[in-house]
Amino acid sequence: MTPIILFGSVPLASWSAAQILDHPRLSLAGVVCDCSGKTFAHHGLDHPPVFEFAKDRGIRVVDLDTLPAWTLKHCDGLGLSVRFSEIISADLLAAFKNGVLNLHGGPLPSHRGVDIANHLILEGATTGGGTLHFLDAGIDTGPVIDRSTFDIANGDTAYDVFQKTQRALMGLLARNLDAIAAGKLEAVPQADLIAQGEVAHTYAKADILAFQEIALDMPTDEIDRRVRAFEFEGQEPAYFHIHKRRY
């Protein structure tokens, strides 16, 4: 059995945990998750947050601060990060001798970082995707194991792209579980992909803010993109000002 420690709090991470538990050659050694009681209902998956999932299944919840020592003692398998919102330190990565996998919600290396669904709409992209890769000390710069793509329709919102991304990530994990269990993952350094002509770009949290305000004299297609790029349940939508009032 290959033991896995899961990093993640959202329903997609609970779905991933269930796939691990159902696999005959994988085991779930513990989870690192948000224990604040967030529900993540807007994610639209029929799965509870990881903290509830772990509590119901009797799975150990491990504290991030003490995990390196616990990992060295209890886990000779892999880590798996699924939409995990905290930085996994270089020391913690080093504690996993077989590495830590990450399900990244965008195509790598072209869309590293955060708010990828929003940026894909702003860019007028016709294709999105997800990536399974190994974590390293950089921001989404680790070697790529597998990628999945999907079409973005003309009227899609950021939330539509987010939902399509979740389905793409599910497919990636499902089709790589046997290789994970067998320890036969093959990964391509992102430097090799860039050398073949692929473009690398990293999106920071602040990058999205410059696009949220709409000027009413903008071209209509630009207004449309910005509105759709910020249409996401639980997030502030795009806005405009008239006579110093915000709408």
Side-chain angles (χ1 to χ4, degrees):
M1 297 282 283
T2 299
I4 293 179
I5 291 178
L6 179 74
F7 297 81
S9 303
V10 300
L12 179 62
S14 295
W15 177 89
S16 302
Q19 307 313 300
I20 294 167
L21 290 173
D22 288 343
H23 196 280
R25 289 178 290 148
L26 295 173
S27 65
L28 190 57
V31 298
V32 181
C33 63
D34 185 318
C35 301
S36 66
K38 293 180 181 177
T39 62
F40 306 102
H42 64 285
H43 282 217
L45 292 179
D46 189 23
H47 295 275
V50 171
F51 180 68
E52 290 183 15
F53 181 91
K55 182 179 177 181
D56 291 343
R57 300 290 188 98
I59 299 164
R60 180 164 183 163
V61 177
V62 188
D63 184 82
L64 188 61
D65 294 332
T66 59
L67 183 57
W70 189 89
T71 302
L72 289 170
K73 184 177 180 181
H74 294 279
C75 185
D76 59 355
L78 290 160
L80 173 63
S81 172
V82 181
R83 299 286 200 182
F84 190 58
S85 59
E86 299 185 53
I87 298 296
I88 300 177
S89 69
D91 287 344
L92 181 50
L93 290 176
F96 288 85
K97 64 181 181 181
N98 294 315
V100 178
L101 307 174
N102 184 46
L103 284 172
H104 174 68
L108 294 178
S110 63
H111 289 75
R112 300 167 175 165
V114 297
D115 300 320
I116 302 305
N118 309 73
H119 284 291
L120 287 168
I121 296 295
L122 288 168
E123 295 164 5
T126 57
T127 303
T131 306
L132 176 65
H133 70 108
F134 280 108
L135 285 178
D136 62 10
I139 299 175
D140 300 322
T141 55
V144 170
I145 298 165
D146 198 2
R147 297 183 287 190
S148 179
T149 60
F150 54 81
D151 292 334
I152 299 175
N154 287 336
D156 276 353
T157 66
Y159 188 67
D160 293 327
V161 173
F162 172 79
Q163 294 285 9
K164 291 180 178 181
T165 302
Q166 290 200 121
R167 292 193 289 272
L169 296 177
M170 288 176 170
L172 279 173
L173 183 61
R175 75 188 186 204
N176 284 280
L177 277 177
D178 287 343
I180 292 171
K184 295 182 178 179
L185 292 171
E186 296 182 3
V188 178
Q190 291 191 36
D192 291 358
L193 300 175
I194 295 167
Q196 295 167 13
E198 297 195 29
V199 176
H201 187 83
T202 302
Y203 295 87
K205 193 65 181 175
D207 292 343
I208 201 73
L209 300 179
F211 298 95
Q212 197 164 7
E213 183 172 5
I214 294 169
L216 296 182
D217 59 354
M218 286 178 173
T220 55
D221 60 343
E222 176 67 14
I223 292 175
D224 175 66
R225 274 198 304 274
R226 293 195 182 202
V227 170
R228 289 186 291 109
F230 290 93
E231 188 173 329
F232 196 111
E233 185 177 345
Q235 295 183 5
E236 183 183 27
Y239 61 88
F240 59 91
H241 282 97
I242 295 179
H243 302 308
K244 298 183 179 180
R245 292 186 64 181
R246 180 166 166 153
Y247 296 87

